[in-house]
Amino acid sequence: MVTVWIVAGAFLLFRGVPGVLALWRSRSWTGSECAVVDVRPPVTYAYRVGGDEFTGRRKTFDPGPGLGAAVSDAGRNEFVSGQVLWLWYDPQDPRASVLRRSASVSMLLVALGLTSFTLAIVALFSGDAP
């Protein structure tokens, strides 16, 4: 069982840590307006930085196209073509942008990964591990 907890913990951390780190780095990003160009998943938005125009597709810092996006249609009508939204972009690399500076799924994955490692460590040091 300890091996399962270690492998599961490593996998969960592997999936969650990049989003949490991206969220942390985005604290210095600049906010700006953007316009929705295409509403098909993933949503595409266009924005200007100085005289240059960029497009982006990232909604959050969570892994994948939105974990559970295939399971639920809850956010399907969330965006309308031409809709004006607020986004965050990296002033050092304006091509990097996100609509919401959030990583709730990533934080959950990190918490579950750390919990899994904790269970493995407790089992190892309690003498219950084979």
Side-chain angles (χ1 to χ4, degrees):
M1 192 62 166
V2 171
T3 305
V4 171
W5 284 331
I6 291 172
V7 170
F11 175 76
L12 292 167
L13 288 173
F14 176 76
R15 293 290 289 161
V17 167
V20 173
L21 291 176
L23 177 62
W24 180 262
R25 286 189 302 267
S26 75
R27 293 174 303 130
S28 64
W29 286 18
T30 304
S32 181
E33 286 187 344
C34 68
V36 175
V37 176
D38 189 359
V39 294
R40 288 175 292 172
V43 63
T44 304
Y45 49 89
Y47 58 101
R48 286 185 143 341
V49 177
D52 299 322
E53 187 165 326
F54 299 93
T55 59
R57 290 193 170 135
R58 190 170 214 176
K59 282 175 54 176
T60 69
F61 291 116
D62 288 323
L67 217 54
V71 178
S72 170
D73 290 337
R76 186 160 296 237
N77 297 323
E78 182 179 4
F79 302 104
V80 178
S81 191
Q83 179 181 9
V84 176
L85 301 170
W86 194 256
L87 67 81
W88 300 93
Y89 69 89
D90 184 350
Q92 304 298 323
D93 179 14
R95 292 172 297 186
S97 64
V98 68
L99 289 177
R100 296 186 189 103
R101 280 194 301 187
S102 69
S104 54
V105 172
S106 293
M107 286 190 261
L108 177 63
L109 292 174
V110 168
L112 291 172
L114 292 174
T115 301
S116 185
F117 276 134
T118 302
L119 289 171
I121 290 168
V122 167
L124 282 172
F125 288 106
S126 70
D128 293 341

mmCIF file with all atom_site columns, all heavy atoms in Angstrom, residues 96-118:
data_model
loop_
_atom_site.group_PDB
_atom_site.id
_atom_site.type_symbol
_atom_site.label_atom_id
_atom_site.label_alt_id
_atom_site.label_comp_id
_atom_site.label_asym_id
_atom_site.label_entity_id
_atom_site.label_seq_id
_atom_site.pdbx_PDB_ins_code
_atom_site.Cartn_x
_atom_site.Cartn_y
_atom_site.Cartn_z
_atom_site.occupancy
_atom_site.B_iso_or_equiv
_atom_site.pdbx_formal_charge
_atom_site.auth_seq_id
_atom_site.auth_comp_id
_atom_site.auth_asym_id
_atom_site.auth_atom_id
_atom_site.pdbx_PDB_model_num
ATOM 1   N N   . ALA A 1 96  ? 2.359   35.169 -23.101 1.00 0.00 ? 96  ALA A N   1
ATOM 2   C CA  . ALA A 1 96  ? 1.864   34.373 -21.978 1.00 0.00 ? 96  ALA A CA  1
ATOM 3   C C   . ALA A 1 96  ? 0.729   35.134 -21.296 1.00 0.00 ? 96  ALA A C   1
ATOM 4   O O   . ALA A 1 96  ? 0.933   36.229 -20.774 1.00 0.00 ? 96  ALA A O   1
ATOM 5   C CB  . ALA A 1 96  ? 2.989   34.099 -20.990 1.00 0.00 ? 96  ALA A CB  1
ATOM 6   N N   . SER A 1 97  ? -0.461  34.546 -21.320 1.00 0.00 ? 97  SER A N   1
ATOM 7   C CA  . SER A 1 97  ? -1.624  35.231 -20.733 1.00 0.00 ? 97  SER A CA  1
ATOM 8   C C   . SER A 1 97  ? -2.577  34.210 -20.130 1.00 0.00 ? 97  SER A C   1
ATOM 9   O O   . SER A 1 97  ? -2.509  33.021 -20.429 1.00 0.00 ? 97  SER A O   1
ATOM 10  C CB  . SER A 1 97  ? -2.349  36.038 -21.813 1.00 0.00 ? 97  SER A CB  1
ATOM 11  O OG  . SER A 1 97  ? -2.870  35.177 -22.807 1.00 0.00 ? 97  SER A OG  1
ATOM 12  N N   . VAL A 1 98  ? -3.465  34.704 -19.301 1.00 0.00 ? 98  VAL A N   1
ATOM 13  C CA  . VAL A 1 98  ? -4.475  33.863 -18.661 1.00 0.00 ? 98  VAL A CA  1
ATOM 14  C C   . VAL A 1 98  ? -5.683  34.735 -18.334 1.00 0.00 ? 98  VAL A C   1
ATOM 15  O O   . VAL A 1 98  ? -5.537  35.914 -18.013 1.00 0.00 ? 98  VAL A O   1
ATOM 16  C CB  . VAL A 1 98  ? -3.904  33.174 -17.399 1.00 0.00 ? 98  VAL A CB  1
ATOM 17  C CG1 . VAL A 1 98  ? -3.617  34.178 -16.305 1.00 0.00 ? 98  VAL A CG1 1
ATOM 18  C CG2 . VAL A 1 98  ? -4.798  32.065 -16.904 1.00 0.00 ? 98  VAL A CG2 1
ATOM 19  N N   . LEU A 1 99  ? -6.877  34.171 -18.450 1.00 0.00 ? 99  LEU A N   1
ATOM 20  C CA  . LEU A 1 99  ? -8.090  34.933 -18.124 1.00 0.00 ? 99  LEU A CA  1
ATOM 21  C C   . LEU A 1 99  ? -8.294  35.055 -16.622 1.00 0.00 ? 99  LEU A C   1
ATOM 22  O O   . LEU A 1 99  ? -8.708  36.100 -16.137 1.00 0.00 ? 99  LEU A O   1
ATOM 23  C CB  . LEU A 1 99  ? -9.322  34.274 -18.754 1.00 0.00 ? 99  LEU A CB  1
ATOM 24  C CG  . LEU A 1 99  ? -9.439  34.387 -20.267 1.00 0.00 ? 99  LEU A CG  1
ATOM 25  C CD1 . LEU A 1 99  ? -10.668 33.636 -20.760 1.00 0.00 ? 99  LEU A CD1 1
ATOM 26  C CD2 . LEU A 1 99  ? -9.485  35.843 -20.702 1.00 0.00 ? 99  LEU A CD2 1
ATOM 27  N N   . ARG A 1 100 ? -8.048  33.991 -15.902 1.00 0.00 ? 100 ARG A N   1
ATOM 28  C CA  . ARG A 1 100 ? -8.234  34.007 -14.447 1.00 0.00 ? 100 ARG A CA  1
ATOM 29  C C   . ARG A 1 100 ? -6.944  33.561 -13.780 1.00 0.00 ? 100 ARG A C   1
ATOM 30  O O   . ARG A 1 100 ? -6.479  32.460 -14.037 1.00 0.00 ? 100 ARG A O   1
ATOM 31  C CB  . ARG A 1 100 ? -9.361  33.063 -14.045 1.00 0.00 ? 100 ARG A CB  1
ATOM 32  C CG  . ARG A 1 100 ? -10.686 33.482 -14.573 1.00 0.00 ? 100 ARG A CG  1
ATOM 33  C CD  . ARG A 1 100 ? -11.782 32.595 -14.021 1.00 0.00 ? 100 ARG A CD  1
ATOM 34  N NE  . ARG A 1 100 ? -13.014 32.871 -14.707 1.00 0.00 ? 100 ARG A NE  1
ATOM 35  C CZ  . ARG A 1 100 ? -13.531 32.098 -15.656 1.00 0.00 ? 100 ARG A CZ  1
ATOM 36  N NH1 . ARG A 1 100 ? -12.946 30.994 -16.002 1.00 0.00 ? 100 ARG A NH1 1
ATOM 37  N NH2 . ARG A 1 100 ? -14.655 32.440 -16.252 1.00 0.00 ? 100 ARG A NH2 1
ATOM 38  N N   . ARG A 1 101 ? -6.426  34.381 -12.909 1.00 0.00 ? 101 ARG A N   1
ATOM 39  C CA  . ARG A 1 101 ? -5.232  33.977 -12.157 1.00 0.00 ? 101 ARG A CA  1
ATOM 40  C C   . ARG A 1 101 ? -5.681  33.056 -11.030 1.00 0.00 ? 101 ARG A C   1
ATOM 41  O O   . ARG A 1 101 ? -5.792  33.458 -9.882  1.00 0.00 ? 101 ARG A O   1
ATOM 42  C CB  . ARG A 1 101 ? -4.495  35.193 -11.602 1.00 0.00 ? 101 ARG A CB  1
ATOM 43  C CG  . ARG A 1 101 ? -3.645  35.871 -12.618 1.00 0.00 ? 101 ARG A CG  1
ATOM 44  C CD  . ARG A 1 101 ? -2.681  36.832 -11.996 1.00 0.00 ? 101 ARG A CD  1
ATOM 45  N NE  . ARG A 1 101 ? -3.356  37.864 -11.223 1.00 0.00 ? 101 ARG A NE  1
ATOM 46  C CZ  . ARG A 1 101 ? -2.739  38.900 -10.695 1.00 0.00 ? 101 ARG A CZ  1
ATOM 47  N NH1 . ARG A 1 101 ? -1.448  39.050 -10.843 1.00 0.00 ? 101 ARG A NH1 1
ATOM 48  N NH2 . ARG A 1 101 ? -3.407  39.794 -10.013 1.00 0.00 ? 101 ARG A NH2 1
ATOM 49  N N   . SER A 1 102 ? -5.943  31.823 -11.393 1.00 0.00 ? 102 SER A N   1
ATOM 50  C CA  . SER A 1 102 ? -6.349  30.835 -10.397 1.00 0.00 ? 102 SER A CA  1
ATOM 51  C C   . SER A 1 102 ? -5.752  29.479 -10.754 1.00 0.00 ? 102 SER A C   1
ATOM 52  O O   . SER A 1 102 ? -5.413  29.234 -11.907 1.00 0.00 ? 102 SER A O   1
ATOM 53  C CB  . SER A 1 102 ? -7.877  30.741 -10.311 1.00 0.00 ? 102 SER A CB  1
ATOM 54  O OG  . SER A 1 102 ? -8.399  30.160 -11.483 1.00 0.00 ? 102 SER A OG  1
ATOM 55  N N   . ALA A 1 103 ? -5.633  28.650 -9.757  1.00 0.00 ? 103 ALA A N   1
ATOM 56  C CA  . ALA A 1 103 ? -5.108  27.294 -9.935  1.00 0.00 ? 103 ALA A CA  1
ATOM 57  C C   . ALA A 1 103 ? -5.714  26.381 -8.877  1.00 0.00 ? 103 ALA A C   1
ATOM 58  O O   . ALA A 1 103 ? -5.016  25.631 -8.201  1.00 0.00 ? 103 ALA A O   1
ATOM 59  C CB  . ALA A 1 103 ? -3.592  27.306 -9.864  1.00 0.00 ? 103 ALA A CB  1
ATOM 60  N N   . SER A 1 104 ? -7.019  26.432 -8.725  1.00 0.00 ? 104 SER A N   1
ATOM 61  C CA  . SER A 1 104 ? -7.671  25.676 -7.657  1.00 0.00 ? 104 SER A CA  1
ATOM 62  C C   . SER A 1 104 ? -7.510  24.170 -7.831  1.00 0.00 ? 104 SER A C   1
ATOM 63  O O   . SER A 1 104 ? -7.271  23.453 -6.851  1.00 0.00 ? 104 SER A O   1
ATOM 64  C CB  . SER A 1 104 ? -9.144  26.053 -7.553  1.00 0.00 ? 104 SER A CB  1
ATOM 65  O OG  . SER A 1 104 ? -9.777  25.911 -8.804  1.00 0.00 ? 104 SER A OG  1
ATOM 66  N N   . VAL A 1 105 ? -7.607  23.667 -9.047  1.00 0.00 ? 105 VAL A N   1
ATOM 67  C CA  . VAL A 1 105 ? -7.419  22.234 -9.275  1.00 0.00 ? 105 VAL A CA  1
ATOM 68  C C   . VAL A 1 105 ? -5.968  21.858 -8.983  1.00 0.00 ? 105 VAL A C   1
ATOM 69  O O   . VAL A 1 105 ? -5.695  20.838 -8.353  1.00 0.00 ? 105 VAL A O   1
ATOM 70  C CB  . VAL A 1 105 ? -7.824  21.836 -10.710 1.00 0.00 ? 105 VAL A CB  1
ATOM 71  C CG1 . VAL A 1 105 ? -7.440  20.392 -11.008 1.00 0.00 ? 105 VAL A CG1 1
ATOM 72  C CG2 . VAL A 1 105 ? -9.313  22.042 -10.914 1.00 0.00 ? 105 VAL A CG2 1
ATOM 73  N N   . SER A 1 106 ? -5.040  22.694 -9.413  1.00 0.00 ? 106 SER A N   1
ATOM 74  C CA  . SER A 1 106 ? -3.620  22.431 -9.151  1.00 0.00 ? 106 SER A CA  1
ATOM 75  C C   . SER A 1 106 ? -3.340  22.403 -7.651  1.00 0.00 ? 106 SER A C   1
ATOM 76  O O   . SER A 1 106 ? -2.597  21.547 -7.168  1.00 0.00 ? 106 SER A O   1
ATOM 77  C CB  . SER A 1 106 ? -2.748  23.493 -9.812  1.00 0.00 ? 106 SER A CB  1
ATOM 78  O OG  . SER A 1 106 ? -2.832  23.401 -11.211 1.00 0.00 ? 106 SER A OG  1
ATOM 79  N N   . MET A 1 107 ? -3.918  23.336 -6.908  1.00 0.00 ? 107 MET A N   1
ATOM 80  C CA  . MET A 1 107 ? -3.720  23.358 -5.460  1.00 0.00 ? 107 MET A CA  1
ATOM 81  C C   . MET A 1 107 ? -4.311  22.108 -4.804  1.00 0.00 ? 107 MET A C   1
ATOM 82  O O   . MET A 1 107 ? -3.715  21.548 -3.882  1.00 0.00 ? 107 MET A O   1
ATOM 83  C CB  . MET A 1 107 ? -4.309  24.623 -4.853  1.00 0.00 ? 107 MET A CB  1
ATOM 84  C CG  . MET A 1 107 ? -3.462  25.848 -5.154  1.00 0.00 ? 107 MET A CG  1
ATOM 85  S SD  . MET A 1 107 ? -3.983  27.280 -4.226  1.00 0.00 ? 107 MET A SD  1
ATOM 86  C CE  . MET A 1 107 ? -4.947  28.122 -5.457  1.00 0.00 ? 107 MET A CE  1
ATOM 87  N N   . LEU A 1 108 ? -5.461  21.663 -5.296  1.00 0.00 ? 108 LEU A N   1
ATOM 88  C CA  . LEU A 1 108 ? -6.065  20.439 -4.776  1.00 0.00 ? 108 LEU A CA  1
ATOM 89  C C   . LEU A 1 108 ? -5.165  19.238 -5.069  1.00 0.00 ? 108 LEU A C   1
ATOM 90  O O   . LEU A 1 108 ? -4.954  18.386 -4.199  1.00 0.00 ? 108 LEU A O   1
ATOM 91  C CB  . LEU A 1 108 ? -7.451  20.228 -5.383  1.00 0.00 ? 108 LEU A CB  1
ATOM 92  C CG  . LEU A 1 108 ? -8.165  18.943 -4.981  1.00 0.00 ? 108 LEU A CG  1
ATOM 93  C CD1 . LEU A 1 108 ? -8.430  18.926 -3.487  1.00 0.00 ? 108 LEU A CD1 1
ATOM 94  C CD2 . LEU A 1 108 ? -9.452  18.791 -5.765  1.00 0.00 ? 108 LEU A CD2 1
ATOM 95  N N   . LEU A 1 109 ? -4.610  19.163 -6.272  1.00 0.00 ? 109 LEU A N   1
ATOM 96  C CA  . LEU A 1 109 ? -3.710  18.063 -6.621  1.00 0.00 ? 109 LEU A CA  1
ATOM 97  C C   . LEU A 1 109 ? -2.471  18.052 -5.729  1.00 0.00 ? 109 LEU A C   1
ATOM 98  O O   . LEU A 1 109 ? -2.029  16.985 -5.284  1.00 0.00 ? 109 LEU A O   1
ATOM 99  C CB  . LEU A 1 109 ? -3.300  18.153 -8.094  1.00 0.00 ? 109 LEU A CB  1
ATOM 100 C CG  . LEU A 1 109 ? -4.411  17.902 -9.118  1.00 0.00 ? 109 LEU A CG  1
ATOM 101 C CD1 . LEU A 1 109 ? -3.900  18.176 -10.531 1.00 0.00 ? 109 LEU A CD1 1
ATOM 102 C CD2 . LEU A 1 109 ? -4.966  16.505 -8.999  1.00 0.00 ? 109 LEU A CD2 1
ATOM 103 N N   . VAL A 1 110 ? -1.917  19.230 -5.449  1.00 0.00 ? 110 VAL A N   1
ATOM 104 C CA  . VAL A 1 110 ? -0.748  19.318 -4.563  1.00 0.00 ? 110 VAL A CA  1
ATOM 105 C C   . VAL A 1 110 ? -1.125  18.865 -3.159  1.00 0.00 ? 110 VAL A C   1
ATOM 106 O O   . VAL A 1 110 ? -0.391  18.094 -2.524  1.00 0.00 ? 110 VAL A O   1
ATOM 107 C CB  . VAL A 1 110 ? -0.156  20.748 -4.564  1.00 0.00 ? 110 VAL A CB  1
ATOM 108 C CG1 . VAL A 1 110 ? 0.855   20.926 -3.445  1.00 0.00 ? 110 VAL A CG1 1
ATOM 109 C CG2 . VAL A 1 110 ? 0.482   21.055 -5.911  1.00 0.00 ? 110 VAL A CG2 1
ATOM 110 N N   . ALA A 1 111 ? -2.268  19.310 -2.669  1.00 0.00 ? 111 ALA A N   1
ATOM 111 C CA  . ALA A 1 111 ? -2.703  18.912 -1.317  1.00 0.00 ? 111 ALA A CA  1
ATOM 112 C C   . ALA A 1 111 ? -2.909  17.397 -1.235  1.00 0.00 ? 111 ALA A C   1
ATOM 113 O O   . ALA A 1 111 ? -2.485  16.752 -0.268  1.00 0.00 ? 111 ALA A O   1
ATOM 114 C CB  . ALA A 1 111 ? -3.987  19.646 -0.938  1.00 0.00 ? 111 ALA A CB  1
ATOM 115 N N   . LEU A 1 112 ? -3.528  16.812 -2.252  1.00 0.00 ? 112 LEU A N   1
ATOM 116 C CA  . LEU A 1 112 ? -3.741  15.370 -2.262  1.00 0.00 ? 112 LEU A CA  1
ATOM 117 C C   . LEU A 1 112 ? -2.419  14.610 -2.383  1.00 0.00 ? 112 LEU A C   1
ATOM 118 O O   . LEU A 1 112 ? -2.232  13.568 -1.750  1.00 0.00 ? 112 LEU A O   1
ATOM 119 C CB  . LEU A 1 112 ? -4.686  14.975 -3.398  1.00 0.00 ? 112 LEU A CB  1
ATOM 120 C CG  . LEU A 1 112 ? -6.141  15.417 -3.235  1.00 0.00 ? 112 LEU A CG  1
ATOM 121 C CD1 . LEU A 1 112 ? -6.926  15.127 -4.509  1.00 0.00 ? 112 LEU A CD1 1
ATOM 122 C CD2 . LEU A 1 112 ? -6.776  14.755 -2.031  1.00 0.00 ? 112 LEU A CD2 1
ATOM 123 N N   . GLY A 1 113 ? -1.498  15.145 -3.184  1.00 0.00 ? 113 GLY A N   1
ATOM 124 C CA  . GLY A 1 113 ? -0.183  14.521 -3.315  1.00 0.00 ? 113 GLY A CA  1
ATOM 125 C C   . GLY A 1 113 ? 0.585   14.530 -2.008  1.00 0.00 ? 113 GLY A C   1
ATOM 126 O O   . GLY A 1 113 ? 1.189   13.521 -1.616  1.00 0.00 ? 113 GLY A O   1
ATOM 127 N N   . LEU A 1 114 ? 0.558   15.666 -1.318  1.00 0.00 ? 114 LEU A N   1
ATOM 128 C CA  . LEU A 1 114 ? 1.239   15.750 -0.025  1.00 0.00 ? 114 LEU A CA  1
ATOM 129 C C   . LEU A 1 114 ? 0.578   14.836 1.007   1.00 0.00 ? 114 LEU A C   1
ATOM 130 O O   . LEU A 1 114 ? 1.255   14.218 1.832   1.00 0.00 ? 114 LEU A O   1
ATOM 131 C CB  . LEU A 1 114 ? 1.268   17.197 0.464   1.00 0.00 ? 114 LEU A CB  1
ATOM 132 C CG  . LEU A 1 114 ? 2.140   18.147 -0.366  1.00 0.00 ? 114 LEU A CG  1
ATOM 133 C CD1 . LEU A 1 114 ? 1.975   19.575 0.108   1.00 0.00 ? 114 LEU A CD1 1
ATOM 134 C CD2 . LEU A 1 114 ? 3.595   17.717 -0.326  1.00 0.00 ? 114 LEU A CD2 1
ATOM 135 N N   . THR A 1 115 ? -0.743  14.734 0.955   1.00 0.00 ? 115 THR A N   1
ATOM 136 C CA  . THR A 1 115 ? -1.466  13.834 1.855   1.00 0.00 ? 115 THR A CA  1
ATOM 137 C C   . THR A 1 115 ? -1.074  12.385 1.589   1.00 0.00 ? 115 THR A C   1
ATOM 138 O O   . THR A 1 115 ? -0.848  11.605 2.522   1.00 0.00 ? 115 THR A O   1
ATOM 139 C CB  . THR A 1 115 ? -2.987  14.006 1.693   1.00 0.00 ? 115 THR A CB  1
ATOM 140 O OG1 . THR A 1 115 ? -3.323  15.369 1.975   1.00 0.00 ? 115 THR A OG1 1
ATOM 141 C CG2 . THR A 1 115 ? -3.762  13.069 2.595   1.00 0.00 ? 115 THR A CG2 1
ATOM 142 N N   . SER A 1 116 ? -0.965  12.040 0.321   1.00 0.00 ? 116 SER A N   1
ATOM 143 C CA  . SER A 1 116 ? -0.569  10.691 -0.051  1.00 0.00 ? 116 SER A CA  1
ATOM 144 C C   . SER A 1 116 ? 0.840   10.360 0.467   1.00 0.00 ? 116 SER A C   1
ATOM 145 O O   . SER A 1 116 ? 1.078   9.283  1.021   1.00 0.00 ? 116 SER A O   1
ATOM 146 C CB  . SER A 1 116 ? -0.639  10.527 -1.565  1.00 0.00 ? 116 SER A CB  1
ATOM 147 O OG  . SER A 1 116 ? -0.372  9.209  -1.947  1.00 0.00 ? 116 SER A OG  1
ATOM 148 N N   . PHE A 1 117 ? 1.764   11.301 0.302   1.00 0.00 ? 117 PHE A N   1
ATOM 149 C CA  . PHE A 1 117 ? 3.122   11.109 0.833   1.00 0.00 ? 117 PHE A CA  1
ATOM 150 C C   . PHE A 1 117 ? 3.108   10.999 2.358   1.00 0.00 ? 117 PHE A C   1
ATOM 151 O O   . PHE A 1 117 ? 3.829   10.192 2.936   1.00 0.00 ? 117 PHE A O   1
ATOM 152 C CB  . PHE A 1 117 ? 4.051   12.245 0.407   1.00 0.00 ? 117 PHE A CB  1
ATOM 153 C CG  . PHE A 1 117 ? 4.642   12.054 -0.959  1.00 0.00 ? 117 PHE A CG  1
ATOM 154 C CD1 . PHE A 1 117 ? 4.644   13.099 -1.862  1.00 0.00 ? 117 PHE A CD1 1
ATOM 155 C CD2 . PHE A 1 117 ? 5.212   10.852 -1.347  1.00 0.00 ? 117 PHE A CD2 1
ATOM 156 C CE1 . PHE A 1 117 ? 5.190   12.940 -3.125  1.00 0.00 ? 117 PHE A CE1 1
ATOM 157 C CE2 . PHE A 1 117 ? 5.761   10.684 -2.606  1.00 0.00 ? 117 PHE A CE2 1
ATOM 158 C CZ  . PHE A 1 117 ? 5.755   11.723 -3.498  1.00 0.00 ? 117 PHE A CZ  1
ATOM 159 N N   . THR A 1 118 ? 2.294   11.801 3.011   1.00 0.00 ? 118 THR A N   1
ATOM 160 C CA  . THR A 1 118 ? 2.196   11.753 4.471   1.00 0.00 ? 118 THR A CA  1
ATOM 161 C C   . THR A 1 118 ? 1.693   10.391 4.927   1.00 0.00 ? 118 THR A C   1
ATOM 162 O O   . THR A 1 118 ? 2.223   9.811  5.890   1.00 0.00 ? 118 THR A O   1
ATOM 163 C CB  . THR A 1 118 ? 1.263   12.874 4.986   1.00 0.00 ? 118 THR A CB  1
ATOM 164 O OG1 . THR A 1 118 ? 1.767   14.130 4.548   1.00 0.00 ? 118 THR A OG1 1
ATOM 165 C CG2 . THR A 1 118 ? 1.138   12.848 6.488   1.00 0.00 ? 118 THR A CG2 1
#
